[in-house]
Amino acid sequence: MKRLPETEFEVMKIVWESHPPITTGIIMEQIGQEKGWKIQTVVTLMKRLTERGFLRSEKQGKERFYYPLIEKEAYLGFETEHFMELYHKKSVLNLVNTLYKSDHISDEDLASLLKWVEEKRD
């Protein structure tokens, strides 16, 4: 699996949130107009995602339909593993410590995390 550029990841988030098949028109409605993309930009992004093995495409008449080949959870797991290795030496404790020191984790989140750890130990 390869890491996706941010723009292609934005498209995949729409694909994962939608019920397959998805079309370039759906992408335009969901995000394309907001980003100021032209339809050709969306077509190019969908083609790249197909070439990278994230989507499968099928032409039916004049319309092309796209289906996800990579599940959201699988990609997020891949990205998280890469992030943890690159920035935190695969240490969850280092990650939590960084979040805590930068005030990006609340006391409620810490309490939930402790509860989760206790449940996993049982």
Side-chain angles (χ1 to χ4, degrees):
M1 192 177 309
K2 294 180 182 175
R3 296 188 69 222
L4 291 174
E6 188 174 328
T7 305
E8 291 175 26
F9 180 63
E10 290 294 320
V11 170
M12 283 305 297
K13 288 194 300 189
I14 301 299
V15 171
W16 288 320
E17 292 169 4
S18 303
H19 296 289
I22 193 163
T23 63
T24 54
I26 293 170
I27 298 296
M28 280 300 290
E29 285 175 20
Q30 299 271 334
I31 195 175
Q33 294 169 350
E34 171 189 319
K35 299 278 187 184
W37 294 341
K38 294 184 175 9
I39 190 67
Q40 190 55 44
T41 302
V42 175
V43 169
T44 299
L45 291 169
M46 301 301 269
K47 182 178 177 183
R48 283 187 199 157
L49 287 164
T50 302
E51 289 169 354
R52 291 178 195 256
F54 280 82
L55 297 176
R56 170 177 66 85
S57 75
E58 234 177 62
K59 189 162 180 149
Q60 295 177 9
K62 293 182 180 183
E63 190 70 69
R64 186 165 292 279
F65 295 93
Y66 296 89
Y67 301 84
L69 293 175
I70 304 289
E71 295 294 324
K72 180 181 179 180
E73 292 74 21
Y75 184 74
L76 293 180
F78 167 78
E79 278 285 5
T80 301
E81 185 176 318
H82 178 264
F83 172 82
M84 290 296 292
E85 184 175 324
L86 186 63
Y87 296 106
H88 297 285
K89 299 179 185 175
K90 294 187 178 185
S91 170
V92 174
L93 185 58
N94 284 347
L95 171 65
V96 172
N97 191 39
T98 300
L99 292 171
Y100 185 75
K101 285 181 178 178
S102 64
D103 289 332
H104 285 101
I105 191 167
S106 68
D107 289 340
E108 288 175 358
D109 286 338
L110 279 175
S112 294
L113 183 59
L114 286 171
K115 182 180 176 185
W116 180 82
V117 168
E118 287 299 322
E119 288 173 357
K120 292 297 178 189
R121 286 182 15 175
D122 292 339

